[in-house]
Amino acid sequence: MALKNLSVNCLLKAPARKRFPSGYTPIIEGKPRGATPAKLDSDFGILRLGRKRSKTVTTTGETAWVLLHGELTAVVGEETFTASRASLFDEEPATLHVGAGTTVKLSAGENGAELAEVRSPLKRQLPTRFTIGGDLPSEHRGAGLVQGTCQRCVRTVFDYSTRPESGLVIGEVVNYPGRWSSYPPHHHPQPEIYHYRFTKPQGYGHAELGDDVLKVTEGDTVVIPDGLDHAQVSAPGYGMYYLWIVRHLPRRPYKGFTFTKAHTWLLDPNDQGWAPNLPSNPAQ
């Protein structure tokens, strides 16, 4: 399936300097380009707080913040939560998840804080949840398949099995240098958001959307339309991280994906295709 003007409709580029400004930067507001608007219907952006800066908000819908970098203190009512994160690649996520009508004070530490903020229009009150890591253990998917070329680390922060009361599914993928993730390609009826970071600011990768390929760089965001096959690959030498967010459809929650039929043979550990006979001392 090819889409007209895909790079315009689905790829939302980071600021020119690959650094988001202080305060909240909206990336997706309610009805993003490139996906069926009534189905995604979520807000997504980046919140940066400078050294010792604070922000107090009262949520209008279900909201989650994922700490990307820095030191954070969050106060909700009489509860106080603290977390720090120096590396997206080596450390587990810290996530605050609240329902509508919740007043939250977010405060940064000495080194500031950068957070991904996602909001769904779900209006019900939810119990406040603060987690280090995810509700499910990290998975090393792809191990032992296709010569290790699609092994990656998947961290599911929460999903329908652990928080059925939520309208969202949130997770992270650490894509190893030169390897694939979301692979074999798969699809699902719910649109999805990917937000990318790299181990070096000049890092890059490619995002497949059906028959189209987008080059993604530091701070970019991609909206994956409903039902479209997608897979990712990182350039050699660069670790690629992406935050992934799925919004449940009415009466059709996200419970998993379907692999592209043509490539399901790769899931058989006894049939891994051609393996090259590489020289032991390749020329420099």
Side-chain angles (χ1 to χ4, degrees), residues 142-151 179 266 271-276:
L145 299 178
V146 287
Q147 296 94 54
T149 53
C150 65
Q151 184 172 345
R179 299 180 185 177
L266 292 166
D271 185 8
Q272 291 299 291
W274 175 73

Side-chain angles (χ1 to χ4, degrees), residues 185-201:
H186 66 259
H187 57 270
H188 39 79
Q190 301 84 3
E192 189 170 14
I193 299 168
Y194 280 4
H195 178 74
Y196 297 85
R197 301 294 172 100
F198 290 83
T199 50
K200 289 183 178 294

Side-chain angles (χ1 to χ4, degrees), residues 136-153:
L136 299 170
S138 297
E139 303 173 71
H140 292 278
R141 294 185 189 172
L145 299 178
V146 287
Q147 296 94 54
T149 53
C150 65
Q151 184 172 345
R152 67 277 193 193
C153 177

